[in-house]
Amino acid sequence: MNTLAATLLAAGVSAHAATEDPSGKQSMDYRKKLIVKPGSKVSLKNMDPGWHGQHDSEKEAAEEIAKHLSSIAEHQRLLYGEKRHALLIVLQGIDAAGKDGVCWHVIKGMNPQGVNVTGFKQPTPEALAHDFLWRVHPHTPGLGQVAVFNRSHYEDVLVARVHNLVPKSVWSTRYDRINEFENLLHESGVTIIKFFLMISPEEQLKRFGERLEDPMRQWKISNSDYTERALWDDYIGAYEAMLEKCSTKHAPWYILPSNHKWFRNLAASQIIASTLEGLRMKLPKPEVDIAAIKAEYHSASATPNNPEKTKKKAKGKKTS
């Protein structure tokens, strides 16, 4: 077994992944490569956040990313028209790992008419007065729709756990409630893809520095950036538990090595595209009589309504 395969297996990620693209070239199937197998143990310390698959640069990956974005756009149109399926994309990750970046560079391939992006941050007093999933359910996608959660219901087993916002006896039961919730969505026609974006501490600090120097990104700076960074190991433990307990057959987690933003986009776009393709969707048949509508069209084409001609004819009648 090679080093990469051993590393992925140690992290709880599948190591079997090769597929053939239309050109006949063998390419990696990141849907298989990066999935967290249900019931597996996860060790994020054994995973390289700088791994970038078979491509060495963004330039090399650009054509493949474009192909996946085109496929996503095509299949989202089928999703919207068929209205038999829905898609939920969950984004979680280390601070500065690129959740917004996935929205900018991957979700951009979709028609905004059929997509809703929701960010779940600190719950409001009203939300705290309800069960922890109360604020989430209204944002799940209806048939034909795509919903993106930029942070999600998993905050209640991450932040709530790390900061002791609720007792262990409370947050420890939420994994089962989340699995039940996601199973309910699956039974209702929702396909769920969950991405965990992983970067190294060094890459995170580098990105924090870039934000300081770039006025266009300074709005992302938070007072909690460095206090949360100090809890790195606590968060890693919480993420590992999340991945181990909540990667299921119908709602799998994928771990995206995200030190290279372009590889993050490549892997995410490929996984979304192949998932949509696997739904084997078709546009619905017309509900109208196409032959009758064609006859009406040809009749209208044979006697076009010319506004100027009609206007002159009416004027002539008035003069006479």
Side-chain angles (χ1 to χ4, degrees), residues 40-243:
S40 62
K41 293 292 293 181
V42 176
S43 176
L44 294 175
K45 292 179 181 178
N46 289 325
M47 188 169 188
D48 178 10
W51 187 70
H52 47 77
Q54 67 187 116
H55 296 291
D56 292 325
S57 67
E58 182 175 7
K59 184 177 180 180
E60 280 187 26
E63 184 176 349
E64 189 173 339
I65 293 173
K67 180 188 73 173
H68 297 321
L69 293 182
S70 177
S71 177
I72 289 171
E74 175 188 350
H75 285 85
Q76 188 217 355
R77 184 169 63 89
L78 296 177
L79 181 90
Y80 188 83
E82 188 184 54
K83 286 184 169 57
R84 292 182 60 245
H85 301 275
L87 179 65
L88 171 61
I89 300 171
V90 174
L91 302 173
Q92 290 286 160
I94 303 291
D95 287 342
K99 297 179 291 295
D100 290 343
V102 172
C103 292
W104 279 109
H105 299 288
V106 178
I107 308 304
K108 73 172 185 179
M110 299 185 185
N111 186 328
Q113 289 186 101
V115 181
N116 184 56
V117 180
T118 305
F120 292 94
K121 298 183 180 180
Q122 185 173 349
T124 64
E126 183 182 18
L128 289 172
H130 293 78
D131 67 271
F132 79 101
L133 291 171
W134 176 82
R135 65 176 181 150
V136 179
H137 210 152
H139 300 284
T140 58
L143 297 180
Q145 299 291 311
V146 177
V148 181
F149 289 175
N150 186 345
R151 296 186 187 271
S152 67
H153 43 297
Y154 284 96
E155 293 294 292
D156 289 289
V157 292
L158 294 170
V159 176
R161 169 178 168 163
V162 171
H163 288 278
N164 299 308
L165 300 181
V166 294
K168 181 178 180 180
S169 60
V170 174
W171 61 254
S172 63
T173 64
R174 289 177 174 174
Y175 301 108
D176 289 338
R177 302 294 84 77
I178 287 172
N179 289 338
E180 292 164 0
F181 172 65
E182 292 177 350
N183 190 55
L184 171 64
L185 296 180
H186 167 73
E187 291 176 349
S188 303
V190 181
T191 295
I192 303 172
I193 303 172
K194 300 180 295 191
F195 292 125
F196 171 66
L197 282 57
M198 181 68 185
I199 57 174
S200 66
E202 296 79 14
E203 179 64 21
Q204 184 193 60
L205 191 60
K206 174 187 171 187
R207 294 183 185 184
F208 283 172
E210 290 171 349
R211 288 178 181 179
L212 284 172
E213 300 303 321
D214 184 354
M216 296 298 292
R217 285 188 285 178
Q218 287 178 355
W219 65 271
K220 289 189 173 185
I221 297 173
S222 168
N223 288 327
S224 64
D225 283 346
Y226 297 95
T227 55
E228 293 296 277
R229 178 178 165 82
L231 299 170
W232 183 278
D233 290 342
D234 294 331
Y235 271 107
I236 291 299
Y239 285 126
E240 289 175 344
M242 172 193 79
L243 296 167

Side-chain angles (χ1 to χ4, degrees), residues 1-17:
M1 182 181 296
N2 62 34
T3 302
L4 170 60
T7 299
L8 291 171
L9 283 174
V13 179
S14 172
H16 303 285

Side-chain angles (χ1 to χ4, degrees), residues 29-44:
D29 184 348
Y30 298 118
R31 192 179 178 188
K32 294 179 179 179
K33 174 72 74 175
L34 300 176
I35 193 171
V36 177
K37 289 185 175 182
S40 62
K41 293 292 293 181
V42 176
S43 176
L44 294 175

